[in-house]
Amino acid sequence: MTVAEAPSQLMSVETALERILAAVPGSTPPEEIAIADALWRVPSHPVVATVSLPPWDNSAMDGYAIRAAEVAEATESDPVRLHVIGDAPPGAAATAAVSAGTAVRIATGAPLPAGADAVVPVELTTPIDAAGHLGHRGRDATGPLPAACLVHSSVPAGGSIRRGGSDIVAGQTIAPAGRALTPSSVALAAGAGVSTVEVHRRPLIGVLATGDELRSPGQPLGPAGIPDANGPGLRALVRAAGGEVVDLGIVGDHLEDVTRRLRHGLERGVDALIVSGGVSVGPFDVIKLAFESIGRLDLWRVAVQPGKPFAFGTAEEANGRTRALLFGLPGNPVSTAVTFELFVRPAIRRLGGHERLNRPPDRAVLLEDVSKSHGRRAFLRVVVERDADGAPRRDREGRIPVRLAGGALGQGSHVLSALAVADALAVIPEAADDLAAGSGVELRWLDGPDAGQA
Ligand code: AMP
Ligand code: MG
């Protein structure tokens, strides 16, 4: 435990984030990739349609391409007979043009033949074969081409026609720069003829876990070892934020070893290095010195709970330009995750070219009393109340009722089980020491099971 510091010595969360974002040198350079590989990637330039959608006027229905004026008087009992002169199956343009007294059978999506101005759906027709026999009304449109058909209803000019370019016009922007491509935007771009897209290279992020007590998965713990939670946890958080990981492994609390690993990360060309542990003021806490030996330390005391021991710095090129951002996160796994969410994730998103750095804010109402350290902004791990279908409940003011995750002991910065069940962070302002049940607070959602973006 360190001696309590006067809040005035601590930097606000906003100022810390501003300083971090100001140090981000820009977003990563573009690379060209196949649209099929572009899910969740961030376009560096607007994605522009290369073909119109639909490319030409086409049919919205299986039926017959006709001239609407010719069937204007058609009724159920007094249908109009048209001579069927050709077929427009999917993937083929009709060779025949529709003229007076004729129709061309047409499939959904096939190009409208010349001369036609409407499609009559097959359900409103009866086929007639070459011998003059009537088939079944509305028979499905896949059999042999009938010689003629009866049309039992009028249709408006333009009926059942999708106009060329009515969805997308060639040259139109279909996805802006800076917004990750979703499954449907991948489909839209592919449908609009886009085969490759320019996207920001995924930010390359080195992750190093420090602590003499840490053991890698499967290693015996011995009398005082613990499994490394932060290495795997941070690598997962980096990937969820759109980054690519350089795994720098686990290292003990030795300045030279830490510095060597960090240099190795820099040589790999990382955009940022994240170190967990060793960032307090204890005798084994070497991260600040390590940052100073590869770059410079910018800030390290932020008015945040959990996560006060937090270090940020930069390693620079010879010309003074930022080469890599340096994040030293507290070792307690909950503090690690919360400081990542508050300070590292927005920086990775800026590196990755995202226009929006933060998640959309939400509002909650506390279902129980909470208390916290004075002068620091607390980010409590909370579980939201849901209805039987899993949808978050909201009160009349639109606020989501929340409970502390993990019960009475759940808010300790070492309690991973509470973090794992938390849906979100409830934000308790610096000035409050306690908040009573019923108080409204800001809510910051975390990645839940539905958020997968790997
Ligand atoms: P430190 O920030 O190094 O003082 O560590 C604070 C607490 O977090 C100690 O109890 C550490 O054992 C624990 N800790 C540090 N790093 C990790 C890690 N990678 N995985 C799990 N616990 C950790
Ligand atoms: Mg340590």
Side-chain angles (χ1 to χ4, degrees):
M1 233 3 214
T2 53
V3 180
E5 281 161 293
S8 59
Q9 292 177 279
L10 303 177
M11 184 179 285
S12 73
V13 172
E14 281 81 14
T15 306
L17 184 57
E18 267 168 36
R19 299 243 314 240
I20 291 165
L21 293 177
V24 177
S27 41
T28 57
E31 60 186 12
E32 191 173 346
I33 61 168
I35 186 65
D37 298 328
L39 181 63
W40 304 129
R41 298 299 299 270
V42 183
S44 52
H45 302 86
V47 181
V48 173
T50 61
V51 298
S52 296
L53 264 190
W56 8 255
D57 293 355
N58 75 14
S59 177
M61 304 288 281
D62 290 327
Y64 294 90
I66 57 155
R67 296 179 170 193
E70 297 202 15
V71 299
E73 306 298 323
T75 62
E76 199 55 51
S77 54
D78 192 10
V80 171
R81 181 187 173 116
L82 296 173
H83 181 45
V84 177
I85 57 165
D87 214 3
T95 45
V98 175
S99 56
T102 72
V104 165
R105 187 171 70 170
I106 191 164
T108 303
L112 195 71
D117 66 1
V119 169
V120 57
V122 69
E123 292 82 354
L124 300 178
T125 67
T126 301
I128 301 173
D129 68 15
H133 296 124
L134 291 188
H136 295 295
R137 164 77 183 274
R139 192 192 64 174
D140 89 273
T142 53
L145 189 67
C149 67
L150 298 178
V151 176
H152 299 275
S153 169
S154 64
V155 291
S160 299
I161 293 174
R162 303 170 182 151
R163 292 292 171 198
S166 57
D167 186 356
I168 292 290
V169 179
Q172 187 180 334
T173 292
I174 48 179
R179 302 285 286 276
L181 294 170
T182 59
S184 50
S185 49
V186 168
L188 169 62
V194 173
S195 55
T196 63
V197 281
E198 290 210 43
V199 295
H200 290 282
R201 166 174 70 67
R202 287 187 198 278
L204 194 60
I205 315 291
V207 173
L208 176 65
T210 72
D212 287 330
E213 72 279 31
L214 301 183
R215 303 286 180 268
S216 32
Q219 255 192 327
L221 299 182
I226 58 167
D228 170 26
N230 291 338
L234 280 169
R235 298 199 293 272
L237 286 166
V238 165
R239 293 193 184 102
E244 189 176 322
V245 168
V246 174
D247 181 3
L248 298 173
I250 298 173
V251 72
D253 298 303
H254 307 289
L255 180 59
E256 295 72 29
D257 294 346
V258 171
T259 309
R260 196 174 317 119
R261 291 285 177 103
L262 295 181
R263 284 197 200 288
H264 175 65
L266 290 179
E267 281 154 20
R268 293 279 306 271
V270 296
D271 299 294
L273 287 166
I274 308 174
V275 184
S276 94
V279 81
S280 312
V281 292
F284 304 102
D285 295 326
V286 300
I287 298 311
K288 282 180 279 184
L289 293 173
F291 281 4
E292 276 163 356
S293 74
I294 63 163
R296 64 194 179 86
L297 187 66
D298 268 4
L299 65 96
W300 61 282
R301 288 180 325 162
V302 181
V304 61
Q305 177 189 357
K308 188 179 58 174
F310 164 81
F312 174 72
T314 48
E316 284 156 9
E317 311 276 10
N319 62 9
R321 192 180 143 80
T322 301
R323 177 176 178 189
L325 308 172
L326 309 175
F327 293 95
L329 310 189
N332 268 312
V334 176
S335 311
T336 313
V338 171
T339 47
F340 180 95
E341 173 69 22
L342 299 183
F343 303 118
V344 187
R345 185 178 180 273
I348 293 178
R349 286 177 66 87
R350 175 153 288 172
L351 284 165
H354 283 275
E355 170 194 290
R356 289 193 190 149
L357 304 185
N358 289 307
R359 305 175 198 265
D362 210 332
R363 293 181 310 135
V365 57
L366 299 173
L367 288 175
E368 51 198 301
D369 300 346
V370 304
S371 60
K372 58 172 266 290
S373 306
H374 182 75
R376 286 159 65 184
R377 191 176 306 173
F379 292 86
L380 304 179
R381 280 69 67 206
V382 295
V383 175
V384 308
E385 269 211 340
R386 295 174 187 272
D387 67 17
D389 299 323
R393 291 188 193 282
R394 292 194 183 261
D395 70 8
R396 250 185 260 120
E397 295 169 47
R399 304 176 306 179
I400 302 177
V402 298
R403 288 182 192 288
L404 294 178
L409 297 176
Q411 295 302 308
S413 58
H414 60 292
V415 187
L416 263 178
S417 57
L419 176 70
V421 297
D423 295 298
L425 301 171
V427 186
I428 315 296
E430 288 79 345
D433 291 346
D434 310 293
L435 279 187
S439 305
V441 293
E442 181 193 337
L443 192 72
R444 294 179 58 134
W445 287 94
L446 297 170
D447 284 327
D450 294 331
Q453 299 203 347

